[in-house]
């Protein structure tokens, strides 16, 4: 259940916004439809970041946006979710984005709520665990990676997977990074995905596996959470479900981070890891998976 701020807390937060201390993200509100499902014409649109220098917050609790870009303008006339941090605490409110004589405006409502981390994670049959050494005393550590339905594995990426509205920016990344097929998810991730607001600022999130084949694996994360060093070598264990029920094939490799790519605003990063050792039969297995 969402926790609403008290009146005094709301006044403190409003003063914090007025003083220009907090950038925000704006995203469309997904509306329920019959049958209990949730959908939105903008369900494929990710939160749009607005810097603090692009806002003026009036004493009346009205946020005026200055040249926020087309990403925000597309939400005019609709209910939006506005998220930000106050003393590292994730907060949000829902309001309507309107067009006024002074430009685009958001009215801060009476209800400001805390972001909660109670969203259940969807279980994926795949698993990927990265192992790395820290120092001789602490030994090694592990990173349990995540997966996203937006980035299906063992499917050849296509530039057509990137929406037309993002094509220009993605092409800009491609000109800088290259046009190899495995870089398509990199460009798409850096264009599409804004870091999700956590309940507590600074929370590290698991990197997401964006691409996998017999030669490499690609990860994406918000920049603080991408704990993979360019040129670093790591051990990796993959768990891949087989056709037979309750059967999983484990593939062990070592991999070298051959490239780290960052978004223009430095909030998101991707790491391309090339295998330095893999059993021949495992390479054949992964190659066969790409053809299925």
């Amino acid at each position: 259940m969402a926790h609403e701020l008290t009146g005094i807390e709301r006044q403190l937060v409003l003063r914090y916004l007025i003083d220009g201390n907090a950038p925000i993200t704006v995203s469309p509100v997904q509306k329920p439809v019959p049958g209990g499902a949730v959908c939105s014409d903008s369900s494929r649109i990710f939160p749009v970041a607005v810097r603090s220098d692009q806002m003026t917050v009036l004493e009346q609790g009205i946020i005026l946006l200055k040249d926020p870009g087309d990403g925000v303008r597309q939400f005019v006339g609709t209910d939006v979710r506005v998220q930000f941090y106050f003393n590292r605490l994730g907060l949000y409110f829902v309001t309507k984005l309107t067009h006024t004589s002074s430009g685009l405006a958001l009215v801060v409502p009476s209800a400001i709520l805390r972001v909660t981390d109670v969203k259940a994670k969807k279980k994926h049959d795949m698993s990927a665990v990265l192992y790395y050494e820290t120092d001789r005393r602490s030994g090694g550590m592990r990173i349990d990676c995540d997966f996203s339905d937006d980035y299906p594995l063992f499917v050849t990426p296509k530039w057509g997977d990137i929406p037309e509205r993002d094509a220009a920016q993605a092409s800009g990344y491609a000109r800088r990074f290259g046009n190899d097929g495995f870089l398509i998810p990199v460009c798409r991730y850096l264009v599409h995905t804004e870091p999700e607001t956590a309940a507590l600022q600074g929370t590290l999130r698991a990197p997401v596996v964006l691409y996998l084949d017999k030669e490499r694996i690609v990860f994406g994360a918000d920049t603080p959470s991408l704990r993979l060093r360019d040129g670093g070598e790591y051990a990796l264990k993959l768990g891949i479900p087989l056709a037979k029920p309750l059967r999983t094939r484990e593939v062990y490799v070592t991999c070298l981070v051959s490239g780290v790519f960052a978004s223009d605003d430095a909030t998101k990063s991707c790491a391309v890891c090339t295998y330095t050792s893999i059993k021949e039969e495992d390479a054949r297995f992964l190659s066969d998976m790409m053809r299925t």
Side-chain angles (χ1 to χ4, degrees):
M1 182 176 179
H3 177 78
E4 183 176 332
L5 300 188
T6 65
I8 294 176
E9 290 172 332
R10 180 186 180 278
Q11 288 302 316
L12 290 173
V13 170
L14 184 58
R15 173 50 55 188
Y16 183 77
L17 291 172
I18 291 171
D19 291 343
N21 293 312
I24 62 174
T25 62
V26 181
S27 57
V29 173
Q30 292 183 323
K31 299 179 180 179
V33 296
V38 175
C39 74
S40 168
D41 292 338
S42 304
S43 61
R44 298 289 298 175
I45 301 175
F46 292 88
V48 179
V50 180
R51 303 188 310 272
S52 56
D53 62 359
Q54 293 177 295
M55 303 184 302
T56 298
V57 185
L58 306 180
E59 293 287 342
Q60 302 93 317
I62 300 173
I63 301 175
L64 299 178
L65 305 181
K66 300 177 289 185
D67 298 322
D70 293 337
V72 173
R73 290 191 182 94
Q74 64 185 318
F75 305 145
V76 171
T78 66
D79 290 335
V80 294
R81 177 178 170 121
V82 178
Q83 298 191 164
F84 57 96
Y85 286 109
F86 169 69
N87 292 340
R88 299 186 63 238
L89 183 67
L91 302 175
Y92 75 95
F93 58 82
V94 175
T95 188
K96 187 180 294 292
L97 178 64
T98 60
H99 195 286
T100 70
S101 58
S102 300
L104 300 185
L106 298 160
V107 176
V108 181
S110 58
I112 300 178
L113 303 102
R114 294 183 182 179
V115 173
T116 56
D117 282 335
V118 297
K119 186 170 58 177
K121 293 182 67 175
K122 182 177 179 179
K123 180 177 176 57
H124 288 269
D125 295 329
M126 282 279 300
S127 66
V129 183
L130 275 163
Y131 299 89
Y132 64 101
E133 292 184 0
T134 52
D135 55 54
R136 292 182 178 179
R137 288 182 299 175
S138 63
M141 294 186 66
R142 59 179 284 166
I143 303 174
D144 292 286
C145 303
D146 207 350
F147 299 85
S148 170
D149 291 337
D150 291 330
Y151 296 89
L153 302 183
F154 306 118
V155 175
T156 302
K158 299 179 179 61
W159 287 106
D161 296 336
I162 300 175
E164 184 176 351
R165 65 174 181 274
D166 299 323
Q169 188 178 356
S171 296
Y173 283 132
R175 285 192 293 271
R176 287 153 52 190
F177 304 153
N179 285 295
D180 293 317
F182 63 87
L183 290 173
I184 296 175
V186 170
C187 298
R188 181 182 170 205
Y189 184 86
L190 297 182
V191 168
H192 268 277
T193 311
E194 292 291 341
E196 183 180 337
T197 302
L200 189 65
Q201 190 174 23
T203 301
L204 295 179
R205 299 182 181 276
V208 178
V209 179
L210 306 178
Y211 177 81
L212 171 66
D213 65 19
K214 67 175 183 177
E215 297 177 344
R216 62 184 62 82
I217 186 169
V218 179
F219 300 98
D222 60 273
T223 295
S225 295
L226 191 70
R227 292 164 285 174
L228 299 177
R229 177 175 53 85
D230 195 4
E233 191 166 24
Y234 303 86
L236 173 68
K237 181 178 76 171
L238 298 171
I240 303 172
L242 302 176
K244 295 181 180 180
L246 305 179
R247 291 287 303 277
T248 299
R249 176 160 180 164
E250 292 186 339
V251 175
Y252 295 86
V253 305
T254 57
C255 57
L256 183 76
V257 181
S258 53
V260 174
F261 307 94
S263 61
D264 291 336
D265 60 6
T267 60
K268 299 156 286 181
S269 297
C270 295
V272 175
C273 301
T274 304
Y275 305 147
T276 53
S277 69
I278 182 172
K279 292 181 179 179
E280 186 177 341
E281 58 267 29
D282 287 334
R284 285 198 302 268
F285 170 72
L286 293 177
S287 181
D288 290 341
M289 290 292 292
M290 286 296 294
R291 290 198 293 267
T292 58

